[in-house]
Amino acid sequence: VSTQSTGWYGYPNDQSVLRAKQIQDIKFYFPYSREVSDSLVQVDMPLVNNNNLTLTVEFPLAFPFRPPVIKLVGSWRHHLLEGDGKVKDSAHPKLNSWSQQNSLGKILSDIQQLFNREPPEPDTGDFSVQRSHTYNAPTQAMYTPNPSSSGNDGIPNQFTEINSLTNEEIGILLRDEEKFMAFLSSLDFFSDISKKRELLVEDNKATREKNETISKSIEHYKREMEENEQLLNRLREEYNAVLSTKEAIQKNNSLDSIVQKLEASVSQIKKNSEKIERDFMEKDEIDIRAVNQFITDFLEQRRLYQLRNQKLQQIKAGTLVPKLN
């Protein structure tokens, strides 16, 4: 939504903004145009015969409610010109029914095409006003201010109520801003614009509330995503820990690890049996009970030694494959 300050009737309060916009539009179509004053622009208009006409565009006090005054500088004859060189409003439909949305640059371009087909003729023997130079050298023609126009010609259809006013009444309105604004507020056109503005404000309010609701929903889903991301990271860490434990177990249960464990066990059993034998032989007195105990312990160790040593040799020979978990 635009933040530009506007009046109650929906147009910018500063009419200079509207003038600047139209001047910029003129310069777009005629780059060599120049601003003589805040309300006057001089336009150099080249024609196909390489002549260069000079026009002035004057923004009246009632602009943008009244159309600009377009004049040819010098004395010319043409059916689209009035006696003082003013381009008639009837020369272009958008001058005859003026609206501030009209493009002055496009209107002047259309007038240029009309003058190309039917060039104006000098009204006197002084042909100096009919420039012989080309468009890349714009003229610096003198300008004579346009006297105030009378009558209500060219009033847009939206402001037909003004047609009922006399020139004196219009002059009073233009001099008294309070009365002028009161008169504008009574026009149906501005009343409709005011209503549309109120509807637009309400629509903007509803849109803002909707956006706030959407924003809250986005924040809610954002928090959920952050929580899910934290959960995912925690599960990833737990998975990596389980994977590390599994790898450690697999490493401990590898073939080489089993061989090493069996070799250590066989060696330890052998040492145990030799110790049992050595302890028995070193006894000073030996009775039948001691003999029986020796035989039992020694044979148990040798039996374990033979079983594990046999498996060890089979694994080394490849005839026995242990099951790895």
Side-chain angles (χ1 to χ4, degrees):
V1 179
S2 173
T3 58
Q4 183 178 358
S5 175
T6 57
W8 63 270
Y9 44 82
Y11 291 142
N13 286 325
D14 190 0
Q15 293 186 0
S16 63
V17 175
L18 299 176
R19 287 197 300 270
K21 181 179 179 183
Q22 291 290 2
I23 292 173
Q24 183 180 9
D25 190 58
I26 293 173
K27 290 181 177 180
F28 176 80
Y29 285 88
F30 299 92
Y32 288 101
S33 303
R34 68 185 185 92
E35 298 178 51
V36 178
S37 67
D38 291 341
S39 60
L40 181 67
V41 178
Q42 179 176 296
V43 180
D44 289 289
M45 179 178 289
L47 300 182
V48 292
N49 58 6
N50 289 330
N51 287 333
N52 190 19
L53 299 177
T54 299
L55 295 86
T56 58
V57 179
E58 183 180 10
F59 296 92
L61 181 64
F63 180 83
F65 309 110
R66 293 288 298 273
V69 177
I70 304 172
K71 289 184 61 177
L72 251 65
V73 176
S75 298
W76 300 92
R77 293 198 309 271
H78 197 278
H79 66 91
L80 295 179
L81 299 178
E82 296 180 357
D84 60 353
K86 177 182 179 295
V87 176
K88 297 179 180 179
D89 291 341
S90 59
H92 197 285
K94 290 190 177 180
L95 286 176
N96 199 34
S97 180
W98 172 254
S99 168
Q100 72 168 36
Q101 282 76 30
N102 292 341
S103 166
L104 261 179
K106 181 63 170 62
I107 291 173
L108 290 173
S109 178
D110 293 343
I111 293 175
Q112 180 186 35
Q113 297 303 317
L114 292 174
F115 285 164
N116 275 328
R117 291 194 295 268
E118 299 179 70
E121 297 179 356
D123 196 27
T124 67
D126 183 8
F127 287 88
S128 61
V129 294
Q130 199 169 11
R131 312 296 177 182
S132 60
H133 56 72
T134 57
Y135 188 56
N136 58 2
T139 61
Q140 302 296 326
M142 296 297 293
Y143 166 71
T144 302
N146 178 54
S148 299
S149 301
S150 61
N152 299 336
D153 295 338
I155 295 176
N157 294 332
Q158 297 95 324
F159 311 116
T160 53
E161 295 92 337
I162 300 179
N163 284 321
S164 62
L165 301 178
T166 65
N167 289 348
E168 182 180 356
E169 290 172 332
I170 292 177
I172 294 174
L173 290 177
L174 294 178
R175 290 190 297 271
D176 191 324
E177 183 177 356
E178 184 177 351
K179 291 182 179 179
F180 179 72
M181 297 302 295
F183 175 76
L184 288 181
S185 64
S186 67
L187 299 180
D188 293 338
F189 175 74
F190 289 111
S191 177
D192 292 341
I193 290 179
S194 180
K195 292 178 181 179
K196 291 179 181 178
R197 180 178 178 274
E198 292 176 359
L199 292 175
L200 181 61
V201 170
E202 290 297 324
D203 184 63
N204 289 342
K205 180 180 178 181
T207 302
R208 183 174 64 252
E209 293 175 352
K210 183 179 179 180
N211 290 340
E212 290 175 354
T213 302
I214 294 175
S215 178
K216 291 179 181 179
S217 299
I218 292 175
E219 289 297 325
H220 172 71
Y221 290 126
K222 183 179 179 181
R223 286 193 299 270
E224 282 191 352
M225 289 181 63
E226 291 175 350
E227 293 174 356
N228 291 335
E229 184 177 4
Q230 293 175 358
L231 176 61
L232 179 61
N233 291 334
R234 186 165 61 252
L235 292 175
R236 186 182 291 112
E237 292 174 356
E238 292 177 359
Y239 170 77
N240 291 334
V242 172
L243 186 62
S244 299
T245 302
K246 181 179 179 181
E247 291 175 351
I249 293 174
Q250 289 177 343
K251 183 177 180 181
N252 291 333
N253 292 337
S254 65
L255 183 60
D256 291 340
S257 176
I258 292 175
V259 169
Q260 290 176 0
K261 290 178 181 179
L262 278 176
E263 287 178 341
S265 178
V266 169
S267 176
Q268 184 62 43
I269 293 172
K270 183 178 180 182
K271 290 179 181 180
N272 291 343
S273 64
E274 290 175 351
K275 183 177 184 301
I276 291 172
E277 180 182 4
R278 187 171 57 254
D279 291 344
F280 178 76
M281 297 303 297
E282 291 177 353
K283 286 184 178 183
D284 295 334
E285 296 181 0
I286 299 176
D287 56 17
I288 188 65
R289 182 178 177 184
V291 173
N292 291 335
Q293 185 64 43
F294 164 73
I295 293 172
T296 301
D297 294 341
F298 184 77
L299 291 178
E300 177 64 22
Q301 291 298 314
R302 295 306 296 179
R303 185 182 67 81
L304 288 174
Y305 173 80
Q306 292 296 332
L307 289 174
R308 296 190 179 181
N309 187 57
Q310 182 181 8
K311 288 186 177 181
L312 176 61
Q313 298 306 318
Q314 289 176 340
I315 291 174
K316 288 182 175 182
T319 58
L320 178 62
V321 178
K323 183 177 180 181
L324 303 177
N325 295 327

